[in-house]
Amino acid sequence: MLGGFKNFLLRGNLVDLAVAVIIGTAFTAVVTAFTGMLMSAIAKITGGKQPNFDDFAPGDVLVGPFITAAVAFLILAAVVYFFVVTPYVKAKERYFPSAPAGTPEDIQLLQEIRDLLAAQGGGQRPQA
C-alpha cells in the first residue's frame, strides 16, 4: 500500500503539476500588476478615470461589475497571450524545433515488413 503511495508521489506528472500551480500562483501577481499598469495608462488616456462600469445598471439590473470584470479579463488574457504565450511558442520552436513531418517510425517498420513479406512470397499480396 505504501509502495503505491510512494509511486504516486514520485510520479513525474504530479511534480510537474505542483510546480505549475506554484509558478502560476506567483505569476498571477505579475500579470495582475501589469494589468493594473495598463488600466492606469488607459485612465491617463481617457482623462484620469480608470474604466469602471460598476454603477452601470440599465433597467435597475446591476450589470456593471460583470462588465468591469469582463474588460479586466480581456486585458488580462491579451497580456498573457501577447507577452507570455507568443514569446514562449517562438522560443520553444527556436530552441527545440519540432521534428520534420514524415512517416512515423512504427509505420515505416510495418511498411518494411510488408515489403519483405511481399518479396518472399513472390511479390504477391494476399487478397483481403
Side-chain angles (χ1 to χ4, degrees):
M1 183 186 295
L2 289 178
F5 182 68
K6 181 178 112 181
N7 290 341
F8 170 74
L9 288 178
L10 296 178
R11 191 179 324 160
N13 293 344
L14 182 66
V15 174
D16 290 343
L17 191 59
V19 169
V21 168
I22 292 167
I23 294 296
T25 303
F27 190 66
T28 299
V30 173
V31 173
T32 302
F34 191 79
T35 302
M37 186 176 69
L38 282 179
M39 293 291 269
S40 57
I42 291 171
K44 287 201 179 260
I45 292 171
T46 60
K49 293 184 78 180
Q50 285 192 10
N52 187 350
F53 304 99
D54 287 345
D55 297 329
F56 184 64
D60 291 333
V61 177
L62 192 61
V63 295
F66 172 75
I67 294 173
T68 301
V71 168
F73 172 77
L74 289 175
I75 291 171
L76 185 94
V79 167
V80 169
Y81 180 74
F82 290 113
F83 293 103
V84 177
V85 174
T86 303
Y88 172 76
V89 169
K90 287 181 183 178
K92 184 178 174 187
E93 197 55 41
R94 179 177 178 191
Y95 295 111
F96 303 103
S98 57
T103 306
E105 186 177 341
D106 55 347
I107 302 297
Q108 188 175 6
L109 287 172
L110 289 171
Q111 289 172 344
E112 289 175 14
I113 292 170
R114 178 199 63 200
D115 294 343
L116 287 171
L117 289 173
Q120 288 177 353
Q124 299 175 358
R125 286 191 170 164
Q127 298 293 323

